[in-house]
Amino acid sequence: MQLSRNFSLAEMCKSQTAERKGIPNRPTDGQIEALVMLCENILQPIREEFGSFIVSSGFRSPELCVAIGSKITSQHCCPDNLSAAADFEVAGYDNHDLCVWIQDNLVFDQLILECYNGEINSGWVHCSYAATDNRADVLTYDRTNGYRKGLIA
């Protein structure tokens, strides 16, 4: 099932951990609708601007979130059927610069520059989209300082 021109449901649900541990990772119809909005409003525009890239983490079932040490309230679980999130990076492109582009060009709920150390492709980008009331919340996360407001290079 295609969620947008270049993103499929299989791609958004792929998880090595789920496969390895036999954890079901299938979204409901409402969660699929949230994933369609994420793909159409966040991932597809990034693909059109920067070319092909791989989503490292898209949809996660609650059981999968627990297995990887995340929370079942994560937007990766599409907990309210109204929002969805993905982690990704564009090979050869600086993740801080990618976040700046997203911040300047897309409507989003939350944007997090995660584990970035100043080198190209260090860390990754987390971005979510909500059906209503996108907050444009921008954060930087690293293991030493935790979450901080804004993009910090």
Side-chain angles (χ1 to χ4, degrees):
M1 172 182 186
Q2 285 299 118
L3 302 176
S4 71
R5 184 172 50 237
N6 296 111
F7 292 92
S8 69
L9 181 60
E11 179 179 6
M12 293 302 296
C13 295
K14 181 169 177 54
S15 165
Q16 293 175 354
T17 301
E19 289 175 19
R20 195 176 308 113
K21 295 185 175 223
I23 298 170
N25 197 40
R26 290 180 218 89
T28 64
D29 289 345
Q31 291 166 327
I32 291 171
E33 289 178 27
L35 289 167
V36 166
M37 289 185 296
L38 173 70
C39 290
E40 289 178 348
N41 292 286
I42 301 296
L43 301 179
Q44 191 63 47
I46 294 168
R47 169 97 24 114
E48 289 167 5
E49 181 70 20
F50 298 98
S52 185
F53 65 93
I54 295 174
V55 173
S56 57
S57 184
F59 175 77
R60 297 179 198 150
S61 67
E63 186 178 353
L64 179 57
C65 273
V66 170
I68 65 167
S70 185
K71 297 178 181 175
I72 62 171
T73 56
S74 165
Q75 285 183 307
H76 285 278
C77 288
C78 310
D80 51 13
N81 292 346
L82 298 174
S83 63
D87 296 339
F88 53 89
E89 57 185 303
V90 175
Y93 198 80
D94 185 83
N95 284 321
H96 180 271
D97 293 346
L98 179 57
C99 283
V100 169
W101 186 88
I102 293 168
Q103 187 175 27
D104 291 346
N105 292 281
L106 302 179
V107 173
F108 58 89
D109 187 55
Q110 190 173 59
L111 175 64
I112 308 173
L113 177 61
E114 299 203 47
C115 299
Y116 178 76
N117 67 10
E119 295 180 19
I120 289 180
N121 284 120
S122 66
W124 61 91
V125 175
H126 166 100
C127 194
S128 65
Y129 185 84
T132 59
D133 301 323
N134 282 287
R135 299 172 291 165
D137 186 28
V138 178
L139 302 167
T140 298
Y141 171 83
D142 66 66
R143 288 179 184 91
T144 303
N145 300 297
Y147 289 98
R148 296 176 284 165
K149 281 286 195 191
L151 292 177
I152 301 166

